[in-house]
């Protein structure tokens, strides 16, 4: 086995900066969201994806892909959100093996109520801390990383 190519100081700063800030920012936005609207960060993400879909409905496969989750994890999350009346499961008429998640009127109301506080939190914990050039650079970096990872072949 060959020795690994250890990370240099800049590489380590970049890696640890990504890991630490991703967790800190998500936790901060999640706390704000939960306090303002009784909606977790994860619930907000699920509702936002469904709300943006045609007919406010996504198949589990589509939603799992957008969230980058397993369908099993998604199914458990949808069950919890169904109990709160935020989403409903719907069968796919032409394929009994598939299910969709639909935003309920209550889910739409909760999301609409949560949206202003959510965007304010995102601004407070990320956007407003960077100047426009830094923000554009960060967006470009994430575009590059997302493109790479979404186009990478599946591990065998």
């Amino acid at each position: 086995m060959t020795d690994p190519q250890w990370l240099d100081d800049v590489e380590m700063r970049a890696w640890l900066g990504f890991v630490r800030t991703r967790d800190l920012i998500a936790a901060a936005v999640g706390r704000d969201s939960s306090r303002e609207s009784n909606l977790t960060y994860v619930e907000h993400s699920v509702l936002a994806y469904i709300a943006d879909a045609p007919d406010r409905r996504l198949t589990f496969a589509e939603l799992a892909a957008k969230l980058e989750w397993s369908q099993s994890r998604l199914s458990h999350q949808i069950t919890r959100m169904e109990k709160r009346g935020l989403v409903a499961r719907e069968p796919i008429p032409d394929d009994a093996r598939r299910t969709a998640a639909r935003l309920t009127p209550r889910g739409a109301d909760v999301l609409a109520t949560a949206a202003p506080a959510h965007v304010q939190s995102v601004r407070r914990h990320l956007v407003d801390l960077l100047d426009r050039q830094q923000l554009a650079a960060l967006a470009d970096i994430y575009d590059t990383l997302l493109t790479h990872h979404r186009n990478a072949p599946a591990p065998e």
Side-chain angles (χ1 to χ4, degrees):
M1 178 181 248
T2 62
D3 286 338
Q5 183 180 358
W6 298 107
L7 300 178
D8 66 27
D9 290 344
V10 172
E11 293 165 337
M12 184 61 83
R13 274 184 52 225
W15 170 244
L16 292 177
F18 162 75
V19 170
R20 292 172 178 158
T21 58
R22 190 265 174 233
D23 292 345
L24 286 171
I25 292 168
V29 172
R31 279 190 306 274
D32 290 349
S33 179
S34 188
R35 182 176 51 251
E36 294 294 324
S37 64
N38 196 28
L39 199 62
T40 69
Y41 180 81
V42 167
E43 289 170 334
H44 188 277
S45 296
V46 170
L47 292 177
Y49 278 122
I50 297 171
D52 286 343
D55 299 324
R56 295 182 161 197
R57 180 184 135 165
L58 283 172
T59 68
F60 274 38
E62 292 167 329
L63 185 53
K66 287 181 180 296
L67 291 162
E68 299 187 24
W69 290 359
S70 70
Q71 287 196 40
S72 174
R73 177 181 179 189
L74 177 62
S75 181
H76 290 293
Q77 182 64 47
I78 293 296
T79 297
R80 289 188 292 275
M81 294 174 72
E82 270 185 306
K83 290 177 183 172
R84 294 186 55 202
L86 303 172
V87 296
R89 290 177 196 253
E90 288 186 346
I92 305 294
D94 56 342
D95 189 347
R97 296 170 296 164
R98 295 175 52 211
T99 304
R102 181 183 45 78
L103 190 65
T104 63
R106 174 169 161 61
D109 289 346
V110 169
L111 184 61
T113 299
H118 179 80
V119 76
Q120 182 181 23
S121 181
V122 169
R123 286 192 167 285
R124 182 173 53 255
H125 296 295
L126 175 70
V127 174
D128 292 346
L129 300 174
L130 304 174
D131 65 34
R132 201 68 183 166
Q133 185 176 355
Q134 291 171 316
L135 196 58
L138 185 62
D140 289 344
I141 290 164
Y142 284 125
D143 286 347
T144 298
L145 293 171
L146 287 168
T147 298
H148 169 78
H149 288 284
R150 287 183 176 150
N151 294 326
E156 295 178 13

